[in-house]
């Protein structure tokens, strides 16, 4: 799974972009300041950076300049309200790979990300194969021994998330934050209902198991 860092000081836009990318099976680190972004990049390897330009303290130009001094390869996308040609020229001369002007259409953003990763020689996997199980990301469909198992979008998303990160425990709250609307009135225990449905539907598939981590949540285990 590809990891993307989003540096955007508008908290609501940051949350919206991060949530959308997670729904499309990217691992995302959301930061609201360059200082936080530097720390996150130091802690983890990322495959792509998306950053605003106009930010307090350290702006996007200075942020990119610092990144490029240390890493000439990581793709960088400017996501900004600055739509003048001089700003674009400055960005590309500093080493950004792409430039999008706000307001951002999320589907278009996803297309830009896929194109950037493709140019960088990185290709997102469209299928997850585990023994007799096959999960098709584009179709949102699941197959066992070539036969389709009918699942809802949310069931598919939960299963794909857990099996894409085997042995990693996700709390109910983490899964709720990613796959339920922020306005939902459901409690985190609704995740238990979906996990039971997934287990029932895939009970004949012995290549994986969704394990309950008591007091925390769930993890996928590949056998």
């Amino acid at each position: 799974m590809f990891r993307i860092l989003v540096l955007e000081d508008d908290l609501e836009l940051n949350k919206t972009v991060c949530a959308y990318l997670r729904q499309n099976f990217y691992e995302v680190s959301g930061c609201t300041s360059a200082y936080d972004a530097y720390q996150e990049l130091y802690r983890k390897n990322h495959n792509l950076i998306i950053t605003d330009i106009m930010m307090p303290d350290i702006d996007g130009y200075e942020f990119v300049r610092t990144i490029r001094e240390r890493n000439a390869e990581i793709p960088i996308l400017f996501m900004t309200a600055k739509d003048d040609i001089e700003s674009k020229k400055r960005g590309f001369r500093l080493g950004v790979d792409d430039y999008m002007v706000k307001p951002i259409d999320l589907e278009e953003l996803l297309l830009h990300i896929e194109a950037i990763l493709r140019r960088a020689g990185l290709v997102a996997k469209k299928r997850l194969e585990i023994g007799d199980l096959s999960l098709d990301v584009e179709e949102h469909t699941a197959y066992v021994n070539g036969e389709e198992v009918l699942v809802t979008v949310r069931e598919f998303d939960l299963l794909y998330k857990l099996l894409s990160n085997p042995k990693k425990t996700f709390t109910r709250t983490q899964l709720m934050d990613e796959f339920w609307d922020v306005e939902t009135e459901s409690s985190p225990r609704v995740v238990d209902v979906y996990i039971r449905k997934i287990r029932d539907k895939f009970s004949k598939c012995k290549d994986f198991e969704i394990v309950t981590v008591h007091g925390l949540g769930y993890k996928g285990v590949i056998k």
Side-chain angles (χ1 to χ4, degrees), residues 57-74:
D57 300 321
I58 298 174
D59 67 17
Y61 296 126
E62 183 62 29
F63 175 71
V64 169
R65 183 181 294 109
T66 301
I67 295 301
R68 281 291 175 249
E69 289 174 355
R70 294 163 171 75
N71 188 329
E73 303 298 328
I74 186 169

Side-chain angles (χ1 to χ4, degrees), residues 85-144:
I85 189 64
E86 291 305 317
S87 296
K88 294 177 182 179
K89 286 180 180 178
R90 186 178 178 186
F92 283 114
R93 285 169 179 161
L94 281 170
V96 301
D97 298 88
D98 204 349
Y99 195 109
M100 292 187 70
V101 177
K102 298 174 182 176
I104 297 296
D105 179 90
L106 293 174
E107 289 186 13
E108 183 183 357
L109 173 63
L110 194 63
L111 292 174
H112 278 256
I113 289 170
E114 291 173 350
I116 292 170
L117 293 175
R118 190 163 55 247
R119 290 197 299 269
L122 303 170
V123 180
K125 291 182 179 179
K126 299 300 183 182
R127 293 180 75 91
L128 178 64
E129 307 279 352
I130 299 173
D132 294 332
L133 173 70
S134 176
L135 300 177
D136 189 302
V137 175
E138 290 186 334
E139 296 180 0
H140 257 65
T141 49
Y143 302 88
V144 175

Side-chain angles (χ1 to χ4, degrees), residues 10-171:
D10 182 324
L11 185 57
E12 289 306 312
L13 178 58
N14 193 312
K15 288 181 177 179
T16 298
V17 170
C18 289
Y20 183 77
L21 295 181
R22 290 183 184 114
Q23 288 170 8
N24 284 276
F25 309 107
Y26 290 100
E27 188 173 336
V28 187
S29 304
C31 300
T32 55
S33 75
Y35 298 111
D36 292 340
Y38 291 141
Q39 292 290 330
E40 191 65 21
L41 290 167
Y42 180 77
R43 290 196 313 112
K44 299 178 182 177
N45 291 323
H46 289 74
N47 303 106
L48 171 68
I49 295 172
I50 299 173
T51 177
D52 192 4
I53 293 177
M54 296 181 289
M55 297 180 292
D57 300 321
I58 298 174
D59 67 17
Y61 296 126
E62 183 62 29
F63 175 71
V64 169
R65 183 181 294 109
T66 301
I67 295 301
R68 281 291 175 249
E69 289 174 355
R70 294 163 171 75
N71 188 329
E73 303 298 328
I74 186 169
I76 301 175
L77 165 65
F78 262 160
M79 183 177 69
T80 176
K82 295 176 73 67
D83 62 352
D84 60 286
I85 189 64
E86 291 305 317
S87 296
K88 294 177 182 179
K89 286 180 180 178
R90 186 178 178 186
F92 283 114
R93 285 169 179 161
L94 281 170
V96 301
D97 298 88
D98 204 349
Y99 195 109
M100 292 187 70
V101 177
K102 298 174 182 176
I104 297 296
D105 179 90
L106 293 174
E107 289 186 13
E108 183 183 357
L109 173 63
L110 194 63
L111 292 174
H112 278 256
I113 289 170
E114 291 173 350
I116 292 170
L117 293 175
R118 190 163 55 247
R119 290 197 299 269
L122 303 170
V123 180
K125 291 182 179 179
K126 299 300 183 182
R127 293 180 75 91
L128 178 64
E129 307 279 352
I130 299 173
D132 294 332
L133 173 70
S134 176
L135 300 177
D136 189 302
V137 175
E138 290 186 334
E139 296 180 0
H140 257 65
T141 49
Y143 302 88
V144 175
N145 282 321
E147 295 186 7
E148 183 176 354
V149 179
L150 296 179
V151 291
T152 66
V153 171
R154 190 168 285 153
E155 289 167 355
F156 180 94
D157 289 346
L158 285 167
L159 181 60
Y160 190 94
K161 178 74 173 182
L162 292 170
L163 295 183
S164 295
N165 300 273
K167 297 185 179 180
K168 180 177 179 179
T169 299
F170 293 93
T171 67

